Amino acid sequence: MLRFVVRRLLLLVPILLGLSLLLFAWLRALPGGPAQALLGERATPEAVAQLESLYGFDRPLLEQYLAWLGRSVTGDFGVSTTTRRPVTEELARLFPATIELSLFALLIAVVLGVGLGYLAARRHLTWVDSSAVLASLVGVTIPVFVLGYVLKYVFSVRLGWFPDSGRQDPRLFTEHPTGFYVLDGFLVGRPDVAWDAFLHLVLPAVALATIPLAIIARITRASVLDVVNEDYVRTADAKGLARSTINRRHVLRNALLPVVTVIGLQVGLLLAGAVLTETVFAFPGVGSFLVDAITNRDYAVVQGFILVIAVVIVVVNLLVDIAYGLIDPRIRAATMASAGGGS
């Protein structure tokens, strides 16, 4: 298993190298440039040239790429042309908010999606199954920003149950040592701060989780229906095994393999959906900042943020592959046999 993990980590190098090259080429192919975006359409050629010289945009593209790549390896993504602050500082300030929101949304999607899909499969062709299929279909089709505005209007404006924007009530000022506000509330001994941060997370997380929840529920339902008709499940039932044992050892464990795959893929969808969700709820995360950076042609921010997001997605998919071995012993044995044959 360790050799498999090391092999997958080594594969990250060409993947990230190719992504960095595509990202750099895409940004340089966009019309205009950071100097033009900062100074406006009426900027003089001298002012544009001075700003480009300051940030090194007047050098050959290959030289710019190699210089940026060399700095990125050490964790230095350059300086934002908009805020004039290092990109790593902006990442440290904003990324915990998006990670916290995405994790909360993923938790909602996995718990409710697996539960709803499993319940629908076990109540196949009943009103429970039909209701679950209909709910998942609605969840897949409704756009995130539409659902966000509906949730905001109903539960914030009309009912007043949840805050409509931000991460925390500004009157609850406190330190945030990690940037994860719910966790920070407990770390500094302020449960009221943690509760307030949790309430600010509920509506954006529910809006963000809807599509992944619906997809996970549909995959779980289909997977469980396939497994319950397998011979080994019918044999276990004929032997008189307890229903709970059959469900836990034979049905749910085997049905989880495709579900785990889908959960890994949903991480990328959650990070992409966070852009819209954070905009609707004025949630100060990576999404809205990245949109502004693209508009302003802030090369350093766009390159740094997208590269870090790509690393997160690739690492999560690596964890999914490792989870395969933990769930299914056959895959673990095949992986070990392959590693042994290759040595």
Side-chain angles (χ1 to χ4, degrees), residues 16 95 99 267 271 306-319:
L16 294 178
F95 213 58
I99 294 294
V267 173
L271 291 173
I306 292 181
L307 203 59
V308 171
I309 290 173
V311 170
V312 171
I313 293 173
V314 172
V315 170
V316 168
N317 280 278
L318 171 63
L319 295 176

Side-chain angles (χ1 to χ4, degrees), residues 253-304:
R253 187 167 186 173
N254 289 290
L256 276 180
L257 278 175
V259 178
V260 169
T261 306
V262 172
I263 291 172
L265 295 174
Q266 295 311 305
V267 173
L269 186 63
L270 284 172
L271 291 173
V275 175
L276 288 174
T277 308
E278 290 175 0
T279 303
V280 171
F281 290 95
F283 197 85
V286 166
S288 54
F289 190 77
L290 191 56
V291 171
D292 292 339
I294 294 174
T295 305
N296 295 325
R297 306 290 190 272
D298 197 337
Y299 292 162
V301 170
V302 177
Q303 290 171 163

Side-chain angles (χ1 to χ4, degrees), residues 9-261:
L9 287 174
L10 290 176
L11 282 176
L12 291 181
V13 177
I15 292 174
L16 294 178
L17 195 61
L19 176 66
S20 68
L21 189 59
L22 288 174
L23 189 59
F24 185 87
W26 168 63
L27 283 173
R28 268 41 180 200
L30 292 175
Q36 199 72 49
L38 276 176
L39 300 176
E41 296 180 355
R42 297 184 178 180
T44 62
E46 291 77 13
V48 172
Q50 185 179 5
L51 195 63
E52 288 184 342
S53 175
L54 178 64
Y55 287 97
F57 297 133
D58 56 343
R59 291 185 289 174
L61 289 179
L62 181 60
E63 185 180 343
Q64 290 184 46
Y65 173 72
L66 293 177
W68 170 72
L69 192 63
R71 291 196 309 269
S72 300
V73 172
T74 64
D76 178 11
F77 296 109
V79 177
S80 167
T81 56
T82 306
T83 64
R84 310 294 174 90
R85 298 176 59 186
V87 176
T88 49
E89 285 188 15
E90 300 291 5
L91 271 169
R93 181 174 64 88
L94 298 171
F95 213 58
T98 300
I99 294 294
E100 187 177 50
L101 174 62
S102 299
L103 285 177
F104 194 36
L106 185 64
L107 181 66
I108 294 173
V110 171
V111 172
L112 295 184
V114 171
L116 186 63
Y118 180 77
L119 187 63
R122 301 305 288 176
R123 301 288 187 273
H124 187 44
L125 299 179
T126 65
W127 69 269
V128 175
D129 184 26
S130 301
S131 301
V133 171
L134 180 62
S136 63
L137 187 62
V138 172
V140 169
T141 53
I142 188 168
V144 171
F145 68 93
V146 173
L147 180 62
Y149 279 117
V150 171
L151 291 174
K152 193 173 178 178
Y153 177 75
V154 174
F155 293 101
S156 294
V157 178
R158 302 299 297 180
L159 299 176
W161 290 356
F162 299 100
D164 61 348
S165 62
R167 291 189 71 189
Q168 196 157 58
D169 189 331
R171 293 169 295 182
L172 297 174
F173 179 77
T174 186
E175 295 181 358
H176 295 289
T178 68
F180 297 93
Y181 280 18
V182 176
L183 176 63
D184 289 342
F186 292 109
L187 290 179
V188 300
R190 295 283 303 275
D192 57 326
V193 171
W195 177 248
D196 182 72
F198 171 77
L199 292 179
H200 279 80
L201 273 176
V202 172
L203 291 185
V206 169
L208 186 59
T210 306
I211 294 178
L213 189 157
I215 294 173
I216 291 172
R218 292 173 74 87
I219 296 296
T220 303
R221 174 182 177 273
S223 183
V224 171
L225 284 176
D226 285 341
V227 171
V228 294
N229 293 318
E230 292 291 339
D231 291 339
Y232 58 85
V233 175
R234 288 199 292 267
T235 301
D237 193 23
K239 286 182 176 179
L241 286 179
R243 176 60 61 183
S244 59
T245 304
I246 296 175
N247 289 337
R248 189 178 63 256
R249 291 185 181 176
H250 300 290
V251 176
L252 196 54
R253 187 167 186 173
N254 289 290
L256 276 180
L257 278 175
V259 178
V260 169
T261 306

